């Protein structure tokens, strides 16, 4: 009786794709015939189990029909759909046929990654750039424009990123013969594998120029210094980033440029503290102002305003000045300005002040 595929890999029927892949990788390392102490029969058994359980459709059919499942679509047991015919023992150059069986990702991870066949590779995109910009609290509240000086790779002005000398002719790449890709053979204890890689000569284009650009020497980009103006909106939070598409490093050989990310850092304010879009500050008043009430001048982001202090105000009370806070980012309106009252109780009193306080205490009694 054929073994259960789940038992072969040592996983449960509810195992995830990642668990199945890890289980097979472990067994492949252990039993591969090209490894000392390997076991060809167990390697084939594990590989056949993985070829079914790693494929969603095949796994669904296997779960439904069990041991009568045939991966090739026919009846009966066996390793249908998985070709072991190419195996010819230890040190074989022919290897196994893993095409279309779900093994490419595993062997790509093991051997450094190969591009899957078909089509030319695109030119390599440029790298993203991240810079930090520091602004003041007031600039954050009002919005500001900042100039940023960058040293980066930019598209070559001479060849416009092509890498070829203006006027020179394009030719079929002699390395890949116009395919844009080359084959590389990798030997390991898991066998001999053929990997497809981007042609290093033409960078996947399949074409080269008869003469390289004299400015960039064929790279398609040059090192330059640029000044970029960044519009920082009012209300931005410290630590937020502004993305500028296409303002990063230019790609090699005309590849798409990366992006520029400007991370905004807001300096702390001497008097104000931000909580959400509200601004908090404190205001000291005298004992007499707290008892009798008064009007005081309060500094806000929009200048000084007069605020009423009701009679009997307690130390620690918070008063709201509406819409004098920080603008809401990307929408209308502003937060509020919250003022915390601190009653200044004098540590030293004159004789006259002491007499008045004593008189007040007697009245309270």
């Amino acid at each position: 009786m054929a073994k259960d595929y789940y038992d072969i890999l040592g996983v449960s029927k509810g195992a995830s794709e990642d668990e199945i892949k890890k289980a097979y990788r472990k067994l492949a390392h252990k039993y591969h015939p090209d490894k000392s102490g390997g076991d060809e029969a167990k390697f084939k058994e594990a590989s056949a189990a993985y070829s079914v359980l790693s494929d969603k459709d095949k796994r669904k059919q296997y779960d439904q029909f069990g041991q009568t499942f045939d991966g090739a679509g026919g009846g009966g047991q066996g390793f249908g759909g998985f070709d072991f015919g190419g195996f010819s023992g230890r040190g074989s150059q022919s290897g196994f046929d893993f095409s279309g069986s779900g093994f490419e990702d595993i062997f790509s991870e093991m051997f450094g990654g190969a591009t899957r066949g078909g089509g030319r590779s695109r030119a390599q995109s440029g790298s993203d750039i991240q810079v930090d910009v520091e602004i003041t609290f007031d600039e954050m509240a009002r919005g500001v424009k900042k100039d940023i000086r960058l040293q980066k790779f930019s598209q070559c002005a001479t060849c416009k990123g092509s890498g070829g000398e203006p006027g020179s002719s394009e030719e079929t790449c002699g390395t890949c013969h116009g395919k844009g890709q080359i084959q590389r053979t990798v030997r390991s204890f898991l066998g001999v594998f053929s990997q497809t890689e981007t042609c290093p000569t033409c960078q996947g284009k399949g074409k080269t120029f008869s003469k390289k650009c004299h400015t960039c020497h064929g790279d398609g980009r040059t090192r330059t210094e640029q000044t970029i103006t960044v519009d920082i909106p009012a209300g931005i939070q410290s630590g937020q980033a502004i993305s500028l598409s296409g303002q990063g490093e230019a790609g090699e050989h005309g590849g798409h440029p990366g992006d520029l990310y400007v991370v905004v850092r807001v300096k702390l304010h001497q008097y104000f503290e931000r909580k959400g879009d509200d601004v908090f500050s404190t205001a000291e008043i005298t004992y007499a102002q707290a008892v009798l009430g008064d009007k005081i001048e309060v500094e806000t982001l929009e200048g000084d305003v007069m605020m009423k202090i009701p009679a009997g105000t307690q130390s620690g009370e918070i008063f709201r000045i509406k819409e004098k806070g920080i603008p809401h980012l990307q929408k209308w309106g502003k937060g509020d300005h919250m003022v915390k009252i601190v009653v200044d109780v004098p540590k030293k009193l004159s004789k006259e002040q002491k007499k008045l306080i004593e008189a007040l205490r007697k009245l309270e009694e």
Side-chain angles (χ1 to χ4, degrees):
M1 182 176 179
K3 292 183 179 179
D4 181 87
Y5 286 161
Y6 291 102
D7 289 340
I8 291 172
L9 295 183
V11 297
S12 66
K13 287 189 175 182
S16 65
E17 292 181 11
D18 187 54
E19 289 172 331
I20 290 172
K21 181 184 289 187
K22 288 181 179 178
Y24 172 69
R25 185 189 291 110
K26 183 178 179 180
L27 293 176
H29 276 279
K30 183 177 181 181
Y31 293 125
H32 196 280
D34 285 350
K35 182 182 178 184
S36 177
D39 189 314
E40 178 183 341
K42 289 185 178 180
F43 178 76
K44 287 183 178 181
E45 190 177 60
S47 298
Y50 180 72
S51 72
V52 172
L53 300 185
S54 63
D55 185 292
K56 291 183 179 179
D57 293 332
K58 290 182 180 180
R59 182 178 180 182
K60 185 177 180 180
Q61 294 178 41
Y62 178 77
D63 290 341
Q64 183 176 358
F65 298 109
Q67 296 301 321
T68 63
F69 169 78
D70 181 351
Q77 300 178 19
F79 298 131
F82 191 78
D83 181 12
F84 290 102
F87 179 74
S88 58
R90 187 180 307 278
S92 167
Q93 292 294 322
S94 56
F96 295 87
D97 178 12
F98 293 121
S99 59
S101 58
F103 292 82
E104 296 94 336
D105 289 339
I106 286 183
F107 296 132
S108 176
E109 292 171 9
M110 291 180 178
F111 305 118
T115 58
R116 299 191 181 185
R120 294 174 181 169
S121 301
R122 295 179 179 178
Q124 184 175 350
S125 296
S127 300
D128 294 334
I129 300 174
Q130 178 178 312
V131 296
D132 286 6
V133 172
E134 190 174 59
I135 62 175
T136 66
F137 197 94
D138 289 333
E139 288 174 334
M140 173 275 295
R142 297 185 178 92
V144 66
K145 293 182 184 291
K146 288 288 184 179
D147 289 336
I148 300 174
R149 295 183 66 184
L150 296 175
Q151 288 190 344
K152 64 172 185 173
F153 281 111
S154 301
Q155 185 183 80
C156 176
T158 302
C159 66
K160 308 301 181 186
S162 70
E165 182 71 16
S168 62
S169 59
E170 278 192 305
E171 303 172 344
T172 300
C173 177
T175 302
C176 65
H177 306 291
K179 295 180 179 179
Q181 296 175 333
I182 60 172
Q183 296 289 326
R184 184 169 70 92
T185 300
V186 178
R187 181 187 297 274
S188 77
F189 65 84
L190 282 180
V192 179
F193 303 95
S194 180
Q195 295 182 329
T196 302
E197 296 182 344
T198 301
C199 176
T201 303
C202 66
Q203 302 298 317
K205 293 182 177 181
K207 297 283 187 180
T208 58
F209 286 90
S210 58
K211 187 177 181 181
K212 292 183 179 180
C213 174
H214 69 277
T215 302
C216 65
H217 306 291
D219 189 52
R221 58 183 188 168
T222 56
R223 198 79 177 172
T224 62
E225 183 174 293
Q226 293 184 11
T227 299
I228 297 174
T229 301
V230 182
D231 191 357
I232 301 175
I236 194 168
Q237 293 275 359
S238 186
Q240 280 188 303
I242 299 171
S243 173
L244 299 178
S245 179
Q247 295 293 335
E249 302 269 17
E252 296 180 18
H253 306 282
H256 193 277
D259 298 332
L260 171 64
Y261 294 92
V262 180
V263 181
V264 178
R265 308 294 181 187
V266 182
K267 293 181 182 179
L268 296 178
H269 196 278
Q270 185 177 2
Y271 304 113
F272 301 151
E273 181 182 357
R274 177 177 184 173
K275 293 182 181 179
D277 286 341
D278 292 335
V279 174
F280 284 73
S281 66
T282 60
E284 285 191 358
I285 61 174
T286 64
Y287 182 75
Q289 286 175 312
V291 173
L292 302 175
D294 199 358
K295 285 186 177 181
I296 63 172
E297 198 172 68
V298 175
E299 180 184 354
T300 73
L301 289 169
E302 299 180 11
D304 294 341
V305 298
M306 298 302 297
M307 186 180 76
K308 183 179 179 180
I309 301 295
T313 293
Q314 303 295 306
S315 187
E317 280 194 65
I318 296 176
F319 294 92
R320 182 189 303 271
I321 305 175
K322 290 186 177 181
E323 296 189 349
K324 293 296 183 182
I326 296 167
H328 301 312
L329 188 62
Q330 297 180 339
K331 58 182 180 180
W332 294 103
K334 296 181 179 180
D336 301 327
H337 190 119
M338 315 297 288
V339 183
K340 182 179 179 179
I341 298 301
V342 176
V343 178
D344 182 20
V345 179
K347 295 180 179 180
K348 294 182 179 180
L349 297 175
S350 64
K351 290 182 178 180
E352 185 177 355
Q353 288 174 327
K354 287 181 179 180
K355 288 181 180 180
L356 292 173
I357 296 297
E358 287 290 344
L360 177 62
R361 184 169 64 180
K362 289 180 181 180
L363 289 174
E364 290 175 344
E365 293 174 353

